[in-house]
Amino acid sequence: MDLSDAVIVKSSRLKSVVWNDFDRVKKGDTFVAICRHCKKKLSGSSSSGTSHLRNHLIRCQRRSNHGITQFLSSREKKKEGTLALANVNVDQEQTRDEPLIVVNYKFDKFEQGQVKDDAGSVASGNFDQRRSQFDIARMIILHGYPVQMVEHVGFRVFVKNLQPLFEIVTTDRVEADCMDIYSQEKQKVYEVLDKLPGKISLSANLWSAFDDAEYLCLTAHYIDEAWQLKKKTLNFVLVDPTHTEDVRSEVIMTCLMDWDIDRKLFSMTFDSHSANDNVVHRIRDRLSQNRFLYCNGMLFDTRCAVSLMKVMVHDSLEVLSVVTHKIRESIRYVRSSQVTLMKFNEIASEGGVESQKCLCLDNPSRWDSTYFMLEVALEYRWVFSRLQEQDIAYSMCPTDLEWERVRTVTSYLKHFVEVANVFVKDNFSLAVAAMLDPRFKIKLIEYYYQQIFGTGSAELIDEVFEYIKALYNEHSIGSPLASFDQGLTCQVSGSAGCLPSSGRDSKDRLMGYDKFLHETSQSQGIRSDLDKYLEEPLFPRSVDFNILNWWKVHTPGYPILAMMARNILGIPMSKVTPEFAFDNGGRVLDREWSSLRPTTVQALMCSQDWIGEVEK
């Protein structure tokens, strides 16, 4: 079209910001929109709308990248999050007034502090290569993707089609970005731990890798200022299985000091394995020498209840290994053909077996599934026996003695299944935790100790109560540095009681003064938080009771006891998460991540925990 005599039309009716990139000209009765960048001529008629003009701007080759989506700025500025342009048809002009397709995406959680102005960054059209690199690194961390995915052909094609301006990064670059993210997130966690109002309990867990390597995972457990139970993975370090106990304890101490939490430590939860005894003792002794632990670390060594339970389950199932094999083969035989299954059901019906449960094979890697398999098989015990009498091809039915063994062992396994998600603590830890529950207090200890220990329970109850008072006394002074190691020594082994000692006064005279104030206050009959708490009636039991909320509300009334509750209730019952409570094996590191450098593995595992917590 010859536009030599066309006139540029300027009208206040042209409200859309798309006209910032087009000139609207009139030639006779025809209106034409001319791109100011590539001079392409498109329909400028009011009946054509502006969608085709917007779509042209998206693919205009001569238009600089700065401002690709400026036309969105004014319309979408008030919307939350950012706008990412979706794929549009670039082969033909759209002349209808169709809305521009956009995808609303929020970065407020995923991006954290990296995105200062989400709406502006995309709306202004400024592509940020560095930010996109961090987005990829965070995606890999958060979802556990292999780092090598950035070099996969499919990923490269996808990214290039999505954003041609993005320069594909290498595996080394992604690893470096992951390390940068790790450093930034670590500083945040460090600041959180530094400001904690209470102590930290640590759990240690071994992971195996595909190259037969072992990693030690250290996790901090604590109750924050809002009385919320939290945990953070602190370290994921490569360890040599041949290392001595001295070396392993030194590795853990190095990690603690790197985080500057050695003085904040309250307890450590390990596997219930004798090999860990000396490691625990060495760490406890070192911290006790520095006077960092309450009552010389009486509660420091807490063994993982689930690990102990798994050992007991393993021993129980080992006794049944032969008969368990017979039951597996029996179930396979019954389910091997429709005819055999129908025959089995007929015998069950004739014998009056009314079980609605179906025979199923177990997953040998999960002991709870083995228990359920055995439990169901017991209900069909008579049917298996009759099937063997009528089917000469079936010969794997257990004997009566073997069935009785199964019945006995499964009766115990049933209890293990029931308590798998209600982990049992160390004796003293559990006793103190029970006392700190306003629904039970010392009464629950008295009730169960009488049932468990009989006539000798009174003396044990007194020892536990003396220990509780000693622990309270140290909290009342405000620091274990003014430990009752000076005047009330907690016997770490043997009796749980704490006996007076004639040791020297603390080198710090003010700490000795604090102790003097505390002792004189007691002698003057001033009622402590502990006394007032125990004298109050028991709190009514209810299904929706939350002990942390209770202490949050009652902290002003029992400030010292609340400090003690924050530390005790933060001790993990187990280092095993509920989803792995029934696994027979240990935790295994992903194959792709196992091939990375140990420092990268630690950065990925720790950052995944930290970022994942934010994303919840």
Side-chain angles (χ1 to χ4, degrees):
M1 178 185 296
D2 183 11
L3 300 178
S4 59
D5 58 344
V7 178
I8 297 179
V9 179
K10 295 183 179 181
S11 173
S12 60
R13 296 181 60 189
L14 302 178
K15 301 292 186 181
S16 175
V17 293
V18 75
W19 292 109
N20 292 336
D21 295 275
F22 284 91
D23 288 322
R24 190 171 187 242
V25 301
K26 182 178 181 182
K27 169 112 172 137
D29 294 328
T30 303
F31 289 87
V32 178
I34 302 176
C35 177
R36 294 179 178 177
H37 308 287
C38 66
K39 306 305 180 184
K40 187 174 181 65
K41 305 174 186 63
L42 304 172
S43 172
S45 172
S46 59
S47 62
S48 299
T50 58
S51 293
H52 64 297
L53 304 181
R54 299 177 187 177
N55 292 331
H56 170 76
L57 290 177
I58 294 173
R59 62 178 185 273
C60 181
Q61 297 297 321
R62 294 193 179 183
R63 188 173 185 237
S64 66
N65 184 59
H66 303 288
I68 276 185
T69 54
Q70 285 181 353
F71 58 91
L72 291 174
S73 179
S74 61
R75 294 185 60 183
E76 304 298 334
K77 192 172 183 179
K78 296 182 181 180
K79 291 187 177 181
E80 288 186 7
T82 61
L83 297 175
L85 297 181
N87 292 331
V88 295
N89 188 340
V90 298
D91 294 328
Q92 57 182 348
E93 299 293 335
Q94 295 184 13
T95 57
R96 293 178 297 170
D97 194 9
E98 297 175 353
L100 180 65
I101 302 174
V102 295
V103 178
N104 204 6
Y105 186 78
K106 294 184 179 181
F107 285 95
D108 54 333
K109 283 188 176 181
F110 185 77
E111 286 300 327
Q112 289 288 313
Q114 293 183 16
V115 182
K116 297 181 180 178
D117 186 353
D118 290 336
S121 61
V122 171
S124 64
N126 294 326
F127 170 69
D128 191 333
Q129 170 75 20
R130 194 77 184 103
R131 170 185 161 183
S132 297
Q133 289 179 204
F134 273 106
D135 286 345
I136 290 178
R138 292 176 70 89
M139 175 187 71
I140 288 174
I141 291 172
L142 184 61
H143 301 292
Y145 295 148
V147 177
Q148 297 86 348
M149 70 175 290
V150 295
E151 297 185 353
H152 295 171
V153 174
F155 178 79
R156 287 173 171 265
V157 171
F158 168 75
V159 171
K160 273 301 180 185
N161 288 334
L162 184 66
Q163 175 52 273
L165 295 174
F166 181 74
E167 296 179 8
I168 299 296
V169 293
T170 64
T171 298
D172 289 341
R173 179 67 261 173
V174 173
E175 286 193 42
D177 291 340
C178 290
M179 294 301 297
D180 287 344
I181 293 173
Y182 167 71
S183 297
Q184 296 170 18
E185 297 297 327
K186 182 178 180 179
Q187 181 61 32
K188 297 176 186 177
V189 175
Y190 182 91
E191 293 173 0
V192 169
L193 299 181
D194 183 59
K195 297 176 182 178
L196 283 181
K199 294 288 186 176
I200 297 171
S201 290
L202 205 69
S203 64
N205 195 14
L206 279 178
W207 287 55
S208 59
F210 278 87
D211 54 359
D212 294 329
E214 284 187 355
Y215 283 86
L216 177 65
C217 179
L218 298 179
T219 304
H221 305 259
Y222 57 90
I223 295 176
D224 64 13
E225 292 183 356
W227 282 90
Q228 296 293 316
L229 187 62
K230 301 288 186 178
K231 67 182 184 70
K232 298 285 186 184
T233 299
L234 301 184
N235 294 92
F236 200 86
V237 294
L238 181 68
V239 293
D240 189 336
T242 64
H243 277 169
T244 63
E245 295 160 343
D246 282 333
V247 174
R248 290 211 170 192
S249 62
E250 190 59 35
V251 168
I252 295 176
M253 282 302 304
T254 300
C255 293
L256 296 178
M257 290 186 290
D258 175 59
W259 284 97
D260 196 22
I261 60 171
D262 49 328
R263 65 183 62 242
K264 282 180 168 283
L265 212 58
F266 189 79
S267 73
M268 295 191 74
T269 302
F270 289 82
D271 284 325
S272 298
H273 194 284
S274 59
N276 293 318
D277 289 347
N278 290 333
V279 175
V280 177
H281 294 163
R282 282 172 168 79
I283 297 174
R284 184 191 62 202
D285 292 345
R286 183 165 174 180
L287 295 176
S288 295
Q289 288 174 3
N290 294 325
R291 308 169 72 88
F292 292 156
L293 300 178
Y294 286 102
C295 280
N296 278 346
M298 184 67 186
L299 282 179
F300 182 75
D301 183 7
T302 304
R303 295 308 170 98
C304 178
V306 172
S307 298
L308 177 60
M309 186 170 62
K310 285 184 177 182
V311 172
M312 298 169 69
V313 169
H314 178 270
D315 291 343
S316 300
L317 292 177
E318 187 67 25
V319 174
L320 294 180
S321 59
V322 175
V323 65
T324 301
H325 173 70
K326 286 186 176 182
I327 291 176
R328 285 195 187 104
E329 293 304 313
S330 296
I331 295 175
R332 285 194 179 98
Y333 180 79
V334 170
R335 298 174 58 182
S336 63
S337 70
Q338 190 65 29
V339 174
T340 305
L341 182 59
M342 290 178 62
K343 180 64 176 176
F344 185 86
N345 291 334
E346 289 176 5
I347 297 174
S349 179
E350 293 171 0
V353 179
E354 299 179 354
S355 176
Q356 300 299 313
K357 300 177 181 178
C358 298
L359 292 175
C360 59
L361 289 171
D362 66 331
N363 178 356
S365 66
R366 292 184 60 88
W367 63 266
D368 60 327
S369 70
T370 302
Y371 159 74
F372 290 126
M373 179 189 72
L374 298 177
E375 183 186 44
V376 173
L378 273 172
E379 297 185 15
Y380 291 99
R381 168 181 175 178
W382 181 85
V383 183
F384 280 114
S385 299
R386 291 295 179 270
L387 180 64
Q388 183 165 259
E389 294 175 359
Q390 300 178 23
D391 188 344
I392 58 175
Y394 172 53
S395 60
M396 295 296 291
C397 182
T399 65
D400 289 341
L401 178 60
E402 288 174 329
W403 280 117
E404 287 305 315
R405 288 178 179 170
V406 172
R407 184 182 301 279
T408 301
V409 172
T410 52
S411 67
Y412 290 103
L413 292 178
K414 180 180 180 180
H415 295 298
F416 287 139
V417 171
E418 291 173 349
V419 302
N421 293 319
V422 188
F423 309 121
V424 181
K425 289 184 180 182
D426 168 80
N427 186 34
F428 294 113
S429 300
L430 181 60
V432 178
M435 186 278 297
L436 291 169
D437 190 325
R439 299 169 298 174
F440 305 114
K441 301 184 180 179
I442 204 70
K443 292 298 182 182
L444 190 69
I445 301 174
E446 294 173 350
Y447 173 75
Y448 277 111
Y449 270 43
Q450 289 173 5
Q451 293 193 25
I452 298 171
F453 301 109
T455 57
S457 63
E459 183 179 354
L460 292 173
I461 292 172
D462 289 342
E463 289 182 351
V464 170
F465 190 60
E466 287 301 312
Y467 172 72
I468 290 173
K469 289 194 295 184
L471 191 60
Y472 172 83
N473 289 339
E474 292 198 6
H475 279 82
S476 68
I477 295 174
S479 170
L481 293 177
S483 169
F484 270 56
D485 179 58
Q486 306 301 322
L488 195 61
T489 302
C490 293
Q491 299 179 352
V492 176
S493 59
S495 171
C498 297
L499 303 176
S501 170
S502 58
R504 297 180 305 170
D505 289 337
S506 171
K507 293 181 179 179
D508 190 321
R509 295 183 182 276
L510 289 180
M511 290 182 181
Y513 174 70
D514 289 337
K515 179 185 173 185
F516 167 76
L517 285 180
H518 174 73
E519 291 175 342
T520 54
S521 297
Q522 285 187 323
S523 65
Q524 293 172 2
I526 299 177
R527 293 167 65 244
S528 66
D529 282 5
L530 180 60
D531 296 329
K532 291 186 290 184
Y533 170 77
L534 293 177
E535 289 171 3
E536 290 291 325
L538 297 180
F539 193 81
R541 298 198 304 273
S542 61
V543 294
D544 59 347
F545 177 77
N546 185 311
I547 189 171
L548 296 184
N549 283 344
W550 192 94
W551 279 108
K552 179 181 180 180
V553 172
H554 290 83
T555 294
Y558 310 106
I560 298 174
L561 201 59
M563 185 194 311
M564 179 172 158
R566 190 189 296 273
N567 294 335
I568 292 293
L569 299 179
I571 299 176
M573 295 181 179
S574 169
K575 64 183 183 58
V576 181
T577 54
E579 62 268 27
F580 294 100
F582 300 103
D583 280 5
N584 289 326
R587 302 294 300 274
V588 180
L589 185 64
D590 177 81
R591 182 185 297 274
E592 283 76 16
W593 283 14
S594 295
S595 63
L596 301 174
R597 290 185 289 268
T599 52
T600 303
V601 172
Q602 173 168 256
L604 292 172
M605 293 297 292
C606 293
S607 300
Q608 185 181 68
D609 177 68
W610 303 336
I611 296 174
E613 180 66 24
V614 174
E615 290 297 308
K616 290 180 181 179

